[in-house]
Amino acid sequence: MATNDSQIGTALGPSGATGETRGTTVIADTVVSTIAGIAVRETEGIYSLGGGASRALGAVKDRVSRSSDPGRGVKVEVGEKQTAIDVDVVVEYGIEILEAAREVRSRVTDAVETMTGLEVVEINIKVLDVHVPGTDEEEAGSASSTPRVQ
């Protein structure tokens, strides 16, 4: 898989039959991973992207930089005309995982193909965990920060 720093991409030209171009447009891997990450996050039933270590490091990075990385948990391989995407997700408890995966594939394919013109040939989804409401560290931390006795 390509790293997010790769400049591999697709050369987009005019839709005319002559095949002439007045230059090339290169779509970086980070562009595709950002588009895919946003599309996944907008899917109902997806709690977060990335594995435990990735989420923990990302949370620290987000606090320091005061911004989030929409491509976290997404790996892409971009060719001249096609792209393949791998996504690591955490789903909400009670969600039908196969239905959520279908919706992720649909949303990611639509977003990437519409915005970049690349054909999405494969989307691999790895479900790493199930989020159970009330078990977040933040929720547990806020409850324990108030004194139990006075």
Side-chain angles (χ1 to χ4, degrees):
M1 280 183 222
T3 64
N4 281 345
D5 297 332
S6 173
Q7 293 298 312
I8 297 172
T10 184
L12 303 174
S15 59
T18 62
E20 292 181 32
T21 61
R22 294 184 182 184
T24 60
T25 302
V26 176
I27 300 173
D29 290 2
T30 54
V31 172
V32 176
S33 66
T34 297
I35 294 167
I38 292 169
V40 172
R41 282 179 176 79
E42 291 176 346
T43 305
E44 186 176 337
I46 301 299
Y47 176 73
S48 67
L49 274 79
S54 170
R55 289 195 322 263
L57 289 173
V60 171
K61 180 181 170 187
D62 292 350
R63 283 188 199 118
V64 171
S65 68
R66 296 181 188 237
S67 66
S68 62
D69 177 12
R72 183 182 321 124
V74 180
K75 297 177 186 169
V76 301
E77 186 176 338
V78 178
E80 289 182 23
K81 297 177 183 176
Q82 298 176 325
T83 186
I85 302 168
D86 296 331
V87 182
D88 296 340
V89 298
V90 175
V91 298
E92 293 281 355
Y93 176 78
I95 296 297
E96 287 186 43
I97 293 174
L98 293 180
E99 184 58 37
R102 276 190 216 101
E103 185 65 20
V104 164
R105 285 188 178 93
S106 175
R107 285 179 182 255
V108 170
T109 299
D110 289 347
V112 171
E113 288 183 350
T114 299
M115 293 182 72
T116 67
L118 294 168
E119 177 189 5
V120 177
V121 294
E122 182 176 86
I123 300 175
N124 298 309
I125 301 169
K126 185 187 293 183
V127 179
L128 300 175
D129 202 357
V130 174
H131 173 257
V132 179
T135 60
D136 286 343
E137 290 177 17
E138 292 176 5
E139 292 174 15
S142 64
S144 65
S145 64
T146 58
R148 292 176 55 190
V149 293
Q150 294 186 11

